[in-house]
Amino acid sequence: MPDTPPLGGLLSREPVIVATGVDVLAEAVERQAAAVRRVAWRPPPPGAEHDLAAVLGDPGHAEADRRAVTRMLSARPHLVDVRPAREVLGLEPGAFLHAGPPIAWDRASGPLRGALVGAMLLEGLADTPERAERALAGGAAELEPCHGRGAVGPMAGVVGPSMWMLVVRDLEHGGTACCSLNEGLGKVLRYGAYGPEVIERLRWMGAVLGPLLRDAVRRHGPLDLVALMAQALQMGDELHNRNRAASALLLRELAPDLVAADAPREHVAEALRFVGGNEHFFLNAGMAAAKCAADAARDVPGSGLVVAMARNGTDFGIQVSGTGDRWFTGPAGVPDGLYLGSYGPADANPDIGDSAITETAGMGGFALAAAPAIVRFVGGRVPEAIAATRRMYEITMAEHPALRIPLLDFRGTPAGIDVTRVVRTGVLPVIDTGIAGRRAGVGQVGAGLVAPPPNVFADALRALARR
């Protein structure tokens, strides 16, 4: 039997110093040529120790978390239909959904205002942007979060009655979630643009693309989105800002049924060309799938599992399984990333969109290690992307059984954000996102990474402790 060195060899190999807190201490050790590993740790906020003790000391808490995360990871979301919002969501004329927690016009950001103006024009409730804005300022529209209707919307997330929605059903737990059709990148409604080309595209999507997709999906039958996403992850997508493989796989599934449609050939060709040229087309289906999975984990008493992260361009909000539909909010931050053309940080709006539902369910920023190419879109380097995913294991309850990361030896993506772990460690969820222009009508100005405000997790923990 070989000799075991004393203390496991601690005294016979080069030391590695783990440093946290004040940088000057780590820098002093580095100047002495020692290896230093810096840890981004901060103590829990004052008073949180009592809330942590109350929640973690609850004898039913661990089982509640296990039940909630099991429901999330066992969801089987399938694309089953495509229908107008007035049918599937019951939206009436003058009612609009938006991304993020509840907000009124007077606090709405530029991109959200721009998207609402465009929706008013699309629905025929105003004939000029100026009249639309006056009507909105006067309270002519009813605004409601997408999440409140079982839906999600990227960026501004504005949905009007005439917009067509992807309908996703969880065949395991029975829930349904919806998301609008993806318009592509650049000057599009979800980024707050409302020019004539934006409205014309949306009208074409309502008249041609929506009905064609409806017929194709119904002809195809329920489409397993988890299986598709698992394959796309192996092909280099992280399923938030990079959906190149997933969009191609979705088109491969639906193309035969699109071609078989009883429709003019030029319409079918337009639809195939549009979907094939839009590498983000799958994003909205993936968001609805993530919403299905997260909703399956809702309303488990005592659980600290995060079931929604969403931003309206002003506020960042989360919802937690054990606290019902209550929103915990803080100020949305400006993403740190890469900008298009001459745009820069001064042009950027604070974070916006429901697309962080992907991170909530173990995709997007939590799967950065699966998508090395994403760093060319959001900034940073490949080792940083891998490190970001590794950090997320510290604040999650489980690993996704189907979404596996090749670079991490096919380990499942970190899934199921735990408010107690976020508060205990100070590690915040990483979200990779698009960046909308601050002014209404500008559109997309870049893409990058952003983190939630820490207070939302501490506030959620406090509410959970007092239930």
Side-chain angles (χ1 to χ4, degrees):
M1 184 174 179
D3 292 335
T4 302
L7 299 177
L10 179 64
L11 302 180
S12 59
R13 62 174 182 262
E14 290 296 320
V16 176
I17 290 83
V18 177
T20 184
V22 183
D23 285 339
V24 67
L25 299 179
E27 292 166 358
V29 175
E30 286 174 333
R31 284 197 295 270
Q32 299 177 57
V36 177
R37 180 172 298 173
R38 302 191 188 214
V39 178
W41 178 87
R42 64 175 68 90
E49 62 273 12
H50 302 295
D51 298 327
L52 285 167
V55 173
L56 296 175
D58 181 347
H61 172 70
E63 173 58 25
D65 279 349
R66 187 203 63 78
R67 180 183 168 202
V69 77
T70 298
R71 288 182 63 84
M72 174 184 282
L73 299 183
S74 61
R76 294 194 298 126
H78 284 62
L79 178 62
V80 297
D81 209 350
V82 185
R83 296 168 60 193
R86 61 176 172 269
E87 296 179 9
V88 70
L89 298 176
L91 278 189
E92 300 290 339
F96 297 104
L97 305 183
H98 64 80
I103 195 168
W105 173 263
D106 62 330
R107 294 186 65 245
S109 63
L112 179 52
R113 289 189 176 199
L116 287 168
V117 166
M120 291 280 285
L121 297 173
L122 178 67
E123 301 294 338
L125 300 177
D127 56 4
T128 68
E130 294 75 19
R131 289 175 180 170
E133 190 163 350
R134 284 198 297 270
L136 288 162
E142 178 184 343
L143 307 182
E144 182 182 347
C146 290
H147 273 287
R149 294 272 187 134
V152 278
M155 303 308 291
V158 170
V159 176
S162 72
M163 296 180 186
W164 285 67
M165 310 292 289
L166 301 166
V167 183
V168 175
R169 183 171 300 128
D170 175 6
L171 301 189
E172 180 68 23
H173 305 292
T176 299
C178 299
C179 191
S180 55
L181 303 179
N182 192 284
E183 310 158 77
L185 296 176
K187 285 189 175 295
V188 289
L189 187 80
R190 73 178 187 276
Y191 278 99
Y194 53 78
E197 72 279 13
V198 175
I199 305 305
E200 181 181 352
R201 184 189 305 113
L202 288 169
R203 285 177 176 153
W204 172 81
M205 291 172 72
V208 176
L209 183 62
L212 279 173
L213 286 173
R214 173 197 60 199
D215 295 345
V217 169
R218 291 177 180 180
R219 187 177 291 108
H220 180 282
L223 196 164
D224 187 342
L225 294 176
V226 170
L228 191 154
M229 292 187 296
Q231 187 175 358
L233 207 69
Q234 305 295 306
M235 298 167 68
D237 283 358
E238 41 68 72
L239 301 166
H240 187 164
N241 253 327
R242 194 178 198 274
N243 288 276
R244 176 177 294 184
S247 296
L249 292 170
L250 180 64
L251 182 59
R252 185 184 70 175
E253 287 283 343
L254 296 180
D257 297 296
L258 281 167
V259 172
D262 182 17
R265 291 180 54 142
E266 60 270 21
H267 287 180
V268 176
E270 288 174 357
L272 288 169
R273 191 176 300 114
F274 178 81
V275 177
N278 179 1
E279 295 182 355
H280 275 67
F281 191 79
F282 182 81
L283 169 63
N284 298 38
M287 287 174 57
K291 170 71 171 166
C292 264
D295 277 1
R298 284 180 176 269
D299 301 320
V300 178
S303 173
L305 179 72
V306 175
V307 294
M309 294 194 297
R311 312 87 89 202
N312 56 32
T314 302
D315 308 311
F316 191 113
I318 68 169
Q319 292 179 320
V320 173
S321 177
T323 56
D325 294 332
R326 180 176 172 184
W327 285 99
F328 303 94
T329 62
V334 175
D336 179 21
L338 301 179
Y339 288 86
L340 305 174
S342 61
Y343 293 119
D347 303 300
N349 194 79
D351 196 23
I352 187 170
D354 286 332
S355 56
I357 194 68
T358 56
E359 278 82 6
T360 309
M363 299 177 278
F366 285 49
L368 284 175
I374 195 67
V375 299
R376 301 189 67 180
F377 189 55
V378 301
R381 299 182 302 117
V382 171
E384 292 167 350
I386 296 173
T389 293
R390 290 189 184 278
R391 281 199 308 276
M392 295 304 97
Y393 288 110
E394 298 181 38
I395 60 171
T396 48
M397 299 180 185
E399 298 178 14
H400 203 290
L403 305 180
R404 298 185 175 274
I405 303 173
L407 279 178
L408 298 183
D409 199 21
F410 294 93
R411 188 176 182 183
T413 62
I417 302 166
D418 180 356
V419 293
T420 66
R421 299 186 194 199
V422 174
V423 174
R424 284 166 58 198
T425 65
V427 175
L428 295 171
V430 61
I431 299 166
D432 63 327
T433 182
I435 305 175
R438 183 180 295 275
R439 292 187 295 108
V442 169
Q444 185 180 13
V445 299
L449 303 177
V450 72
N455 75 281
V456 299
F457 299 96
D459 292 346
L461 175 68
R462 186 173 305 111
L464 197 63
R466 296 178 181 178
R467 286 182 72 85

